[in-house]
Amino acid sequence: MNLADHAAPAAASPRERLALLGIVVPPPPPPIANFLTHVQEGSLLFLSGQGPREADGTLHTGKVGSEVSADQAYAHARLTGINLLSVMQGVLGDLGRVKRVVKLLGMVNASPDFDDHPSVINGCSDLFVDVFGVRGSHARSAVGVGSLPGNITVEIEAVVAVHD
């Protein structure tokens, strides 16, 4: 679902936009190794890579292009975006403090012949624009990789500018 399909006011808060989308932001997922889920330096918040983890801990796995369709992977990237939102919300207390999503790096666990990485990572990009409006538009890289931790389908990291 896209907010363009709704009559949401342009000034709607991220919380109001999430409600329109029917999204409940879960608690932040714990890190799976020796790293922090985020580092804030000044007004920039650097979010470590997140994957397509359901609230119950289930991970979506497989090679995009052979075992997983591009449409399924788009949904996985959207779920990954929700997990990034959960980290942001946990750190900031209020997603209204997001000044702008600055940059995403999206990695797709792809079969060698798969070449539509950007459409997969659009799952996260579209979500951020739906939640933050123009403040969700960002610079981005979308790349294919030979593998990802736990064989997850996608991993996405973000850099976010925040208000004090």
Side-chain angles (χ1 to χ4, degrees):
M1 180 175 2
N2 187 307
L3 267 188
D5 301 333
H6 299 282
S13 71
R15 183 175 350 140
E16 292 165 332
R17 289 169 174 260
L18 285 164
L20 279 174
L21 293 165
I23 296 172
V24 175
V25 178
I32 61 170
N34 185 15
F35 65 88
L36 301 172
T37 59
H38 67 281
V39 171
Q40 186 168 355
E41 183 61 35
S43 64
L44 290 178
L45 180 62
F46 296 84
L47 301 175
S48 294
Q50 292 289 331
R53 179 184 300 270
E54 298 285 351
D56 68 3
T58 303
L59 288 170
H60 294 281
T61 62
K63 288 278 185 196
V64 179
S66 59
E67 304 164 341
V68 177
S69 73
D71 288 341
Q72 290 170 311
Y74 174 96
H76 299 169
R78 181 179 173 84
L79 175 59
T80 300
I82 292 170
N83 290 328
L84 287 165
L85 290 174
S86 73
V87 174
M88 284 183 228
Q89 185 168 281
V91 172
L92 302 173
D94 177 5
L95 292 174
R97 289 189 55 210
V98 171
K99 183 177 180 180
R100 173 162 204 129
V101 178
V102 176
K103 174 94 164 81
L104 294 183
L105 169 60
M107 296 160 277
V108 180
N109 183 6
S111 61
D113 60 340
F114 184 76
D115 65 0
D116 202 11
H117 313 94
S119 70
V120 169
I121 301 304
N122 278 347
C124 183
S125 294
D126 293 347
L127 172 70
F128 283 4
V129 170
D130 283 348
V131 172
F132 297 112
V134 295
R135 295 177 300 132
S137 297
H138 49 269
R140 184 183 89 179
S141 297
V143 298
V145 297
S147 68
L148 286 170
N151 198 34
I152 58 175
T153 52
V154 297
E155 181 175 347
I156 302 172
E157 61 182 48
V159 178
V160 179
V162 299
H163 295 288
D164 292 332

